[in-house]
Amino acid sequence: LQEPSLYTVKAVIILDNDGDRLFAKYYDDTYPSAKEQKAFEKNIFNKTHRTDSEIALLEGLTVVYKSSIDLYFYVIGSSHENELMLTAVLNCLFDSLSQMLR
């Protein structure tokens, strides 16, 4: 078992409907260079933009995501992370941005 930590989120990413980055914040060194980050984001988008599910396991990471019209919101955690916790972070981000942009 892993040691409990406050650092459950590895990244928060917002992509447009073409898979291009609008916002990305990485909280650890899983993908240290911008080139690796862009490749990871393209891979996530290609795997998730046509599906209706909300959770994916990709490259040893847990990815929860939500789409709205032409935006895709992603919260990434480790493979051992609780999906409900990551979904709560995603919903908070999504609801906050929706409220601000009304």
Side-chain angles (χ1 to χ4, degrees):
L1 289 174
Q2 272 187 285
E3 185 80 21
S5 172
L6 292 175
Y7 303 103
T8 59
V9 175
K10 290 188 173 284
V12 174
I13 302 169
I14 301 174
L15 303 177
D16 65 8
N17 60 349
D18 295 325
D20 296 324
R21 178 193 291 190
L22 296 176
F23 173 82
K25 177 66 177 167
Y26 290 82
Y27 296 103
D28 68 355
D29 292 331
T30 304
Y31 299 99
S33 71
K35 184 178 179 182
E36 291 173 330
Q37 291 174 3
K38 293 270 188 184
F40 176 67
E41 292 162 13
K42 283 291 185 190
N43 191 13
I44 285 178
F45 181 76
N46 289 334
K47 301 279 186 195
T48 61
H49 79 281
R50 292 189 189 129
T51 62
D52 292 333
S53 61
E54 297 176 348
I55 299 172
L57 293 173
L58 185 67
E59 297 182 18
L61 298 170
T62 301
V63 178
V64 295
Y65 57 96
K66 181 182 278 197
S67 65
S68 172
I69 304 171
D70 60 349
L71 295 178
Y72 293 85
F73 298 84
Y74 299 91
V75 174
I76 293 104
S78 72
S79 62
H80 305 291
E81 199 54 60
N82 185 340
E83 293 89 359
L84 294 175
M85 183 67 76
L86 294 174
T87 302
V89 172
L90 177 64
N91 288 334
C92 181
L93 171 69
F94 185 82
D95 293 343
S96 298
L97 287 174
S98 297
Q99 190 71 19
M100 287 173 46
L101 298 174
R102 273 190 191 186

